[in-house]
Amino acid sequence: MATTLMPVDPAMSPQRITRLLTISANLLPDEIIAARQARRTRAWVLIVVFLVACLCAAWVVLANREKQAADRELTVATTEVFGLQRDQRQFASVVKVRNDTDLLKKQLGTVMANDLDWAALLTLLRTTGEPSDVIVAGITGSLAQAGDSGKSGTLPSTSKSSSIGSVVVTGTAPDKEAVAAYVDRLAKHSTIANPYVTSVTSTAETGDVSFSLNVDITQAALCGRFGEPCPGTGGK
């Protein structure tokens, strides 16, 4: 018996026989797809809400801890304040004396704002001249009345401050030149002004001269212990 080989059909190759068809189709109903999307969205919303709740809870816990720490600090500070107030009551008398002293100084500063330091003025008149040249024997001072405080002296004033009074100085000097030098030195001070000689008399026995001069007291001389500090005795 003879066997005859039949040709293989090219349309039925092994590759073609085992090939899978790339055909897809979505056969689910729209209601099931919408339900799945809703469940997925709801799950994400719940996750976000849970995270936000966790953050809020953490913030509340942190704020509560900070509040407790601030309350502890406030309690400590309040305790210290009460302790200081208790200690301060032990020295209440000392504090009262100090406050009364400060109040008295302010009142004296107001009352004695126009105080005239006579001691400084007399020292200035006595020490301006050289001890070997001019010897001050007498000083007579007087202050102007309240209504005359702004009037000037008998001469044009050599100071920018107004005159509040005058002083008469008497003494002795070796000669007239020493008296003139003494007057020039007085004119350099700011607390006095307009020094001028009213009389000069020679003494035959000793050869010295006796003099008398007038000096105006300026507004700059108004100072004292409780008022404004006295200015220096230097020149203008």
Side-chain angles (χ1 to χ4, degrees):
M1 179 176 179
T3 303
T4 303
L5 298 176
M6 296 298 291
V8 179
D9 189 359
M12 300 298 293
S13 62
Q15 293 81 4
R16 186 168 183 177
I17 294 174
T18 60
R19 184 173 65 86
L20 298 177
L21 297 177
T22 58
I23 299 174
S24 62
N26 188 1
L27 302 178
L28 293 175
D30 294 338
E31 294 79 4
I32 297 176
I33 296 175
R36 288 181 178 181
Q37 292 178 351
R39 286 196 299 271
R40 189 180 298 108
T41 303
R42 186 163 49 249
W44 281 109
V45 170
L46 292 176
I47 292 173
V48 172
V49 171
F50 176 75
L51 292 177
V52 172
C54 291
L55 292 176
C56 291
W59 179 80
V60 170
V61 172
L62 180 61
N64 189 24
R65 290 182 179 179
E66 292 182 353
K67 180 179 179 298
Q68 292 177 355
D71 291 339
R72 288 193 295 269
E73 293 179 357
L74 178 61
T75 302
V76 173
T78 304
T79 304
E80 292 180 355
V81 169
F82 287 156
L84 293 175
Q85 290 177 351
R86 183 177 59 255
D87 296 338
Q88 185 179 8
R89 284 193 291 270
Q90 298 177 1
F91 304 97
S93 58
V94 179
V95 174
K96 183 177 183 303
V97 171
R98 183 172 181 179
N99 293 335
D100 292 342
T101 302
D102 294 339
L103 178 61
L104 181 60
K105 287 182 179 180
K106 292 180 180 179
Q107 292 175 348
L108 289 175
T110 303
V111 174
M112 304 185 69
N114 293 331
D115 184 27
L116 176 60
D117 192 353
W118 285 102
L121 181 61
L122 297 179
T123 302
L124 172 65
L125 295 175
R126 289 194 180 102
T127 59
T128 298
E130 295 294 336
S132 59
D133 293 343
V134 177
I135 299 176
V136 177
I139 299 175
T140 304
S142 62
L143 296 179
Q145 298 297 324
D148 299 334
S149 58
K151 295 181 180 179
S152 60
T154 57
L155 295 178
S157 179
T158 60
S159 174
K160 295 180 180 180
S161 300
S162 59
S163 175
I164 62 171
S166 62
V167 176
V168 178
V169 181
T170 59
T172 59
D175 48 33
K176 295 182 180 180
E177 287 76 8
V179 176
Y182 176 64
V183 172
D184 292 337
R185 284 193 292 268
L186 290 177
K188 297 179 181 180
H189 296 279
S190 60
T191 55
I192 54 179
N194 305 330
Y196 61 95
V197 180
T198 56
S199 64
V200 177
T201 305
S202 300
T203 304
E205 293 80 4
T206 60
D208 296 338
V209 295
S210 300
F211 67 89
S212 175
L213 58 89
N214 290 349
V215 179
D216 290 340
I217 305 173
T218 65
Q219 192 79 19
L222 294 180
C223 60
R225 178 181 177 185
F226 301 101
E228 293 293 332
C230 295
T233 58
K236 300 177 183 177

